[in-house]
Structures are given as structure tokens and as C-alpha cells.
Amino acid sequence: MPEQRTPDLSSLAARAALARGVASRRTVVSGVFGIGATLALAACGSKGTKETAGGSASPSAKAATDLSDTEKLVNWSNWPEYIDVAESGGGHPTLEEFTKKLGIKVNYTEDYNDNDEFYAKVRPLLAAGEDTGRDTWCSTDWMVARLIRQGYVQPLDLANIPNHGNVEGSLLNVEFDPGRKYSLPWQSGFAGIAYNPKATGGKKIETVDQLLTDPALKGRVTLLTEMRDTVGLVMMAMGKRIDKFTDADFMAAIDEIKKAKEAGQIKGFTGNEYTKPLASGDTAACIAWTGDVVQLQADNPALGYVLPETGCTLWSDNFVIPALAKHKKNAELLINYYYDPAVMAQVVDYVNYISPVQGTKEVLTKADPGVADNQLIFPSPATLERAQVFRGLTEEEETKYNQAFQSVVTG
């Protein structure tokens, strides 16, 4: 294998969307995590403990009567700023075109601010066997695994989603949903390292070891409150694979993070609030999500961003249809619509995340070459080779690992 070099992503700021001041999908994320490139990423079909729908399903696992034929409506909850917006502001061109073509109105609500927060809103209804008032939403991989395990989502009828054949091959048989029976991808992204050269004295920060131990950065480093990204990057820096790690591997990474915190190296753990301190230089370096940094680079191209040689985390957000959704077929027709490469290209051109749809890059190569050439949007095989997806967790592991991580974050 030829030597891999960390791509210089600081010069790859996406222009059009950022010129419009788009906030990234991760701008509001306190929770977590595919790929729109031709390479079939092995990590997306990673080995490890599977979280599939086994055992007895909850009462809400029964599908509601499909009202799609009589009620031309679909209710979609999604993350803020995660879809195309009209140049003049307000309105979403792709949604408007969907309604024009199929006559189905879309109630699009940006109320999915965090995986756990959203889950807390819908779980009581699902557990009671009641309709959530939503026909589809986009959950991150690990949350999809939980929803499947608990019987809170319905199997997809692929007869209503013929365009699912356009989904990238690497995403068709993921570990948390083998065969994609319950979910299909919406967008993906990376977590890597961001730094402000003015605050580092011009030094490049390219490794997790630098974040945790470089005395020049002491007290000016932040890590993410998202366990899978922070612990995942540390485990990879220790030579472990996050698609098949052990308890000992996880706890060793926790120890390294704790050691750095106790030494005063880390000033805090953040959600997206790392962006302003990073831009100002109050934070010298941090673990960061791609979309946030691409946005910041529009105003400050000097900001650095690297995907570590030792590995970066990769996440996807995925369409699911909750149990008892009233407009299941309409939701499936909506999902099918977005797997048209020309339609997905409009979304990607705006949100600047990784497309799950084959053919999107070809559309954008003609319409917007700058986006088509961006490694954060259409990663090369060399970039993807260092990306890994955090393996699925059992309910017991999820509880144990969250407790261990929170003891460091809040301790």
C-alpha cells in the first residue's frame, strides 16, 4: 500500500452553501454518527456485536393503518439546517418540487437537535403504542440500532423505494441494520482534528497524541461530549479498530483521556460550542466535525483540519419510519425521491455533507465543480481507508461505556 498522507483540507472550504451562512448539521449536535464514494467501506459493514431486532418487540411495533392513499401528507422531523434552502431564504426547493410532482404535502420540522433528546420525546409514545405524529426522521447509526432493537421502527417496503438501487453499495449492508430492512442513509460525515494556526504559533496539529500531551497546547484543547467520536479517535490513535474493540481497549482510552484532563491539558468537553473559541483562538485545537469546520473556513481559510493518519470516525444519519406512522407509504415515496441523484445533488450542494447516492458527484461535477472536488463531501479512496465506524453496542455496553465516559467529562 502506498504511503497515505493526511489531506490538506483547510483549502477545501465549500463555497456556495457557506457563503449563504449555512449552519452545519453538527451545529446543534450534543449526541453522535456511509459514505458517498464509490469505494465500499468495510467499516460500514463492520464486525462486532449486532444490535438487531431480536426478542419480543414492544407493543408499538405493530404498523398503523396506512392512510397514504387518502391523506396526501407526510410528517418529517430532521436536524436543523440539514436540507437545501432557497437562495432568497425560507422554503426548501426540493420539498416544494416533491409536493408539485406527487401532490403530497410535507410538514418538515427541524426538531431533531440531539439523538438522546429526540429519543426522550418519542420513546414514551412508542412504548405506549401511540403515534408519535411523525412519519419519518433521521437518526444516527447507533440510535437506529437502539430503535430496531426495541421494535420502535417499521420495516421498509422497498417496492415504494425503487431508487434505493442508487444507494452506495458500501451502505447497503451495514452492521446495525443488515440488508437495510429498517433504515436508509440520508447524509454522512467525519470527526477529525481542527486547529487555529494563530493559537498554535503556526504549528500543525495532526495527531491525537498532540491534543492529549503537547505542552504547547496545555489548557487550550477541547474534546467532544460525543463518546463515540472522542473515545473512538483515542482508541484508533492507540492502534485499535473501533469496529471490533474490547472492553479493555475502551477503558484504556478512557484512562488516557482522564490522564490528559487531570494534567490540565484539556480545558473542556463540548458539543458544537467549540466553533467560536476555535475561530477566536481561545481554543488552539480540538476534535471537530467536518461541517462545522468547513463553515468556519469560509470566514477564516487559515483554520486547519486534518483526518488523523491513525484514523477518523465516520457517522451517518438515516431515514427510519416509526411504529404506528400514519403515512408510511408517503414517507417511503419521499425517501425514494431523495435517491434521485439530481435531487440529492441539490441537497449536498447546500449542506456540504457526504452523499449516500451514486451519481451525485457526476451531477455536481457539471453544476458545481468546487463541491464535487471537496474531499469532505466526496472523499477519495485513500481518505476513506482511514475512516472507521464505531461498532454497535449491546444495551449493557452502552450503559457501561456512557457511564465511564461521563465520569471523565463531569468528574
Side-chain angles (χ1 to χ4, degrees):
M1 182 184 300
E3 180 182 357
Q4 296 178 359
R5 296 185 179 182
T6 302
D8 181 5
L9 302 178
S10 63
S11 62
L12 296 172
R15 13 60 35 242
L18 301 178
R20 294 192 291 268
V22 182
S24 79
R25 164 259 193 269
R26 288 286 169 179
T27 296
V28 290
V29 174
S30 300
V32 267
F33 249 17
I35 261 301
T38 309
L39 177 68
L41 183 62
C44 289
S46 61
K47 299 178 181 178
T49 303
K50 293 187 178 181
E51 296 183 353
T52 57
S56 58
S58 71
S60 61
K62 298 177 182 178
T65 301
D66 187 4
L67 304 178
S68 301
D69 292 336
T70 58
E71 192 172 10
K72 296 293 186 178
L73 177 68
V74 61
N75 299 301
W76 178 11
S77 284
N78 205 0
W79 304 81
E81 306 295 347
Y82 209 20
I83 196 171
D84 55 303
V85 177
E87 292 276 357
S88 56
H92 308 290
T94 57
L95 286 180
E96 292 166 4
E97 186 63 22
F98 172 76
T99 299
K100 181 178 178 181
K101 284 185 174 181
L102 279 77
I104 299 172
K105 179 184 177 182
V106 182
N107 287 332
Y108 185 77
T109 308
E110 296 183 329
D111 62 344
Y112 200 124
N113 293 316
D114 174 275
N115 281 288
D116 283 319
E117 175 189 88
F118 187 82
Y119 177 75
K121 288 191 292 188
V122 299
R123 184 183 183 279
L125 295 170
L126 292 167
E130 298 178 13
D131 174 28
T132 65
R134 301 165 175 87
D135 301 304
T136 189
W137 62 65
C138 296
S139 288
T140 308
D141 298 335
W142 63 273
M143 180 56 72
V144 174
R146 180 190 294 179
L147 294 169
I148 294 173
R149 185 178 70 233
Q150 295 177 332
Y152 289 160
V153 290
Q154 301 185 50
L156 301 172
D157 183 351
L158 294 182
N160 295 324
I161 314 175
N163 284 342
H164 80 277
N166 292 333
V167 175
E168 288 292 345
S170 60
L171 294 177
L172 287 176
N173 190 34
V174 291
E175 179 257 355
F176 60 87
D177 184 13
R180 283 291 188 182
K181 297 178 181 178
Y182 296 90
S183 67
L184 282 168
W186 169 244
Q187 302 287 311
S188 304
F190 297 119
I193 297 171
Y195 62 94
N196 188 325
K198 289 186 178 180
T200 66
K203 177 191 281 189
K204 293 183 178 180
I205 309 302
E206 301 177 310
T207 70
V208 173
D209 286 344
Q210 285 177 283
L211 290 179
L212 299 182
T213 64
D214 190 335
L217 304 177
K218 187 172 183 178
R220 297 185 297 149
V221 171
T222 61
L223 308 182
L224 292 172
T225 52
E226 170 36 47
M227 176 191 76
R228 287 161 176 81
D229 289 331
T230 292
V231 181
L233 283 171
V234 174
M235 278 199 288
M236 286 185 282
M238 298 172 71
K240 307 299 181 180
R241 289 198 61 88
I242 61 172
D243 56 358
K244 50 185 177 184
F245 63 86
T246 65
D247 263 10
D249 297 334
F250 185 92
M251 293 306 175
I254 289 291
D255 287 343
E256 288 301 309
I257 298 168
K258 183 178 180 180
K259 187 187 305 180
K261 182 179 180 182
E262 291 177 346
Q265 183 75 6
I266 301 169
K267 75 171 184 176
F269 295 78
T270 73
N272 77 292
E273 62 268 27
Y274 62 79
T275 55
K276 289 184 179 179
L278 175 66
S280 69
D282 288 341
T283 293
C286 59
I287 294 178
W289 290 302
T290 51
D292 288 342
V293 179
V294 170
Q295 180 183 353
L296 292 173
Q297 287 173 335
D299 295 324
N300 184 0
L303 290 177
Y305 188 80
V306 297
L307 302 178
E309 291 280 355
T310 52
C312 59
T313 52
L314 171 67
W315 49 263
S316 295
D317 293 321
N318 310 269
F319 282 114
V320 293
I321 297 178
L324 297 169
K326 290 184 177 179
H327 312 97
K328 181 175 185 287
K329 182 178 179 181
N330 288 348
E332 290 164 343
L333 294 175
L334 176 73
I335 295 169
N336 183 67
Y337 168 74
Y338 278 101
Y339 290 140
D340 179 329
V343 175
M344 182 56 73
Q346 294 180 63
V347 175
V348 171
D349 195 38
Y350 194 87
V351 303
N352 288 181
Y353 276 93
I354 300 168
S355 167
V357 178
Q358 299 180 61
T360 305
K361 182 174 184 178
E362 287 74 11
V363 174
L364 287 173
T365 296
K366 296 178 181 179
D368 197 340
V371 168
D373 292 338
N374 192 327
Q375 279 288 295
L376 295 181
I377 303 171
F378 295 100
S380 68
T383 299
L384 289 173
E385 282 181 8
R386 68 169 69 97
Q388 297 179 34
V389 175
F390 203 96
R391 73 165 171 83
L393 303 178
T394 64
E395 188 171 2
E396 180 182 358
E397 286 177 323
E398 190 171 348
T399 299
K400 181 164 90 171
Y401 294 164
N402 275 325
Q403 288 177 345
F405 182 60
Q406 287 305 315
S407 70
V408 178
V409 172
T410 61

